[in-house]
Amino acid sequence: MDRRHLIRLAGLAAGGTLLSACNESSAAIHAGHGPHPGGGTGDPSTPPVPFTVPLPVPPVLRPSAVVGGTDVYDLSVRSTTTEILPGVRTPVLGYNGRFVGPTIRARRGRPAIVRLNNGLHHPTNVHLHGASVAAASDGHPMDVVEPGRLRTYHYPNRQQGATLWYHDHSHHMEAEHVYRGLHGFYLIDDDAERRFGLPTGRYDIPIMLRDARIAADGTLAFDPADPFVQQTTLANGKPQPVLRVAARRYRLRLLNGAIQRNFQLSLTGADMIQVATDGGLLPAPVPRTELALSPGERAEIVVDFRRSPVGSRLVLADTTGPVLAFDVVGAAADNSRLPAKLRPLPPLPRATTVRDVTLSRRPGQATFTINGEVFDAARVDARIPIGTTEIWRVTNVDVDFPIDHSLHLHLVQFRVLDRDGVPPAPGEAGLKDTVAVPPGSTVRIQATFTGFKGRYVYHCHYLRHSQLGQMAQFEVV
Ligand code: C2O
Ligand code: CU
């Protein structure tokens, strides 16, 4: 760890004052005075009335240019303010000034370029989570964009349709940056999937779930020393919003964008039919009564509101309480379908290497490790010949003081072979890039390392853990 990073960490430990120190807008925070639409009083300590604020749907970003069949998108990172609680201005970071960044809708087979403009006073970068991209465009933690600089990322979009997301990945700052708003959706549309007839357009909605804690002065509290205090759950940046839906089918793309909590979702009054995992469609729809999402994971569900009478309300809830309500407000034409079969999974090639990956906290220290080591950018933890297939046995040994971990691999989509020897549930049997690894369990995953050579990271997606060392590198050679 170099000195700059130690200073940064010290800044974080001092109560997360680093960002506010370089965020001009924080000096001008004003908590408004009620009453406000949404039932807020402008007082951060008064919880807003549930289900009064509409669920925002992040706008789809238009390319700023199209160059020879490549769409060019501009993302500028800046500090801004947003209204998370009604009537309260909260300083945040945002891609193009949005707390949940604009959605990029790419098309399979059509490359995209993202030009990242760093308007912050400290380094940032962007990682396209779930994507197969060249190492130079992957947003490696040590590969950052200095303040005032512009950086071009190339995304080939060769993989199948999927709900991906982009977020900051700058070393030692990723947890705080993502927490403060550097996250957005990146969807790959795939012509080959049109035949399934799933809901499209305004009936296809990305929903980012996460949490936050708004301090009395309206700022986002980020306290690495106390990770268990972020209790306001947000859907697309708002607490307990409501989505007015028609009595028809919807495709909902759920993402856990939180840095330190999992979601255990249920929906009263309707079935959640899971159709996709992180990396794309499942071979067949899977009805779910409960849906668990660890940080970074996605699940797509189809919900058919036709069975709910107009005027009814359905609530998507987590174990901590309601997250989002759906108010069925009227009828609508629906020519979508939910076929019994979706996209078949490719056969599993034979693996040639088995690796053990152990996730743990270093006792007595605020560091987290993979195979006993904290991240070292100068160290390559696994050298993998390109095109080969490996099985990784991932174990969470934090049993005595139980801590949840997860594992996310850059570059590849993997498959879950088993959890403690038991084959994965059908909802986890698809393409994955992030997997929950609860205390004491061993998850075996299999990946084929194709596409690009170079160095990529793998890490726990509880971002405070990865920030505190639970990250390692593989090099495809
Ligand atoms: Cu979602 Cu390495 O990141
Ligand atoms: Cu972890």
Side-chain angles (χ1 to χ4, degrees), residues 157-346:
N157 300 322
R158 274 186 233 126
Q159 66 202 92
Q160 71 176 70
T163 299
L164 310 182
W165 64 301
Y166 60 92
H167 62 77
D168 171 274
H169 218 307
S170 49
H171 193 37
H172 285 315
M173 288 302 290
E174 64 270 39
E176 180 167 2
H177 277 171
V178 172
Y179 177 71
R180 295 197 184 277
L182 295 186
H183 46 32
F185 281 98
Y186 186 105
L187 313 178
I188 299 183
D189 286 327
D190 189 337
D191 290 345
E193 293 173 358
R194 287 228 193 113
R195 65 197 156 102
F196 300 124
L198 297 171
T200 57
R202 49 198 281 247
Y203 306 110
D204 173 359
I205 301 175
I207 301 173
M208 179 189 292
L209 305 177
R210 53 158 293 171
D211 58 355
R213 188 168 70 94
I214 320 269
D217 63 357
T219 59
L220 278 177
F222 179 83
D223 183 0
D226 185 3
F228 303 108
V229 293
Q230 288 154 21
Q231 58 293 77
T232 305
T233 302
L234 307 177
N236 287 347
K238 302 282 187 188
Q240 300 181 329
V242 58
L243 180 67
R244 290 156 62 86
V245 295
R248 53 154 290 151
R249 271 190 212 96
Y250 281 73
R251 177 179 187 171
L252 305 175
R253 302 170 183 256
L254 305 172
L255 155 68
N256 181 349
I259 58 168
Q260 191 70 21
R261 63 160 288 179
N262 46 27
F263 282 92
Q264 222 22 278
L265 299 167
S266 59
L267 179 65
T268 51
D271 296 330
M272 298 187 286
I273 311 289
Q274 188 184 353
V275 293
T277 47
D278 304 332
L281 291 182
L282 283 162
V286 179
R288 304 290 302 263
T289 49
E290 282 230 310
L291 195 58
L293 286 178
S294 72
E297 282 187 298
R298 287 87 69 210
E300 295 181 35
I301 57 173
V302 168
V303 178
D304 192 345
F305 294 104
R306 258 178 322 183
R307 308 209 189 109
S308 319
V310 170
S312 59
R313 167 173 288 172
L314 293 79
V315 176
L316 182 72
D318 174 61
T319 46
T320 58
V323 170
L324 163 66
F326 301 95
D327 280 357
V328 184
V329 294
D334 188 357
N335 55 12
S336 73
R337 289 182 301 121
L338 182 60
K341 292 245 170 309
L342 294 166
R343 197 169 181 135
L345 289 167

Side-chain angles (χ1 to χ4, degrees), residues 361-374:
R361 190 175 69 113
R362 196 170 267 176
Q365 283 182 36
T367 52
F368 289 84
T369 64
I370 294 183
N371 289 345
E373 311 238 45
V374 295

Side-chain angles (χ1 to χ4, degrees), residues 368 404-406 460 462 465 470:
F368 289 84
D404 281 313
H405 297 296
S406 65
C460 179
Y462 286 75
H465 298 176
Q470 202 164 39

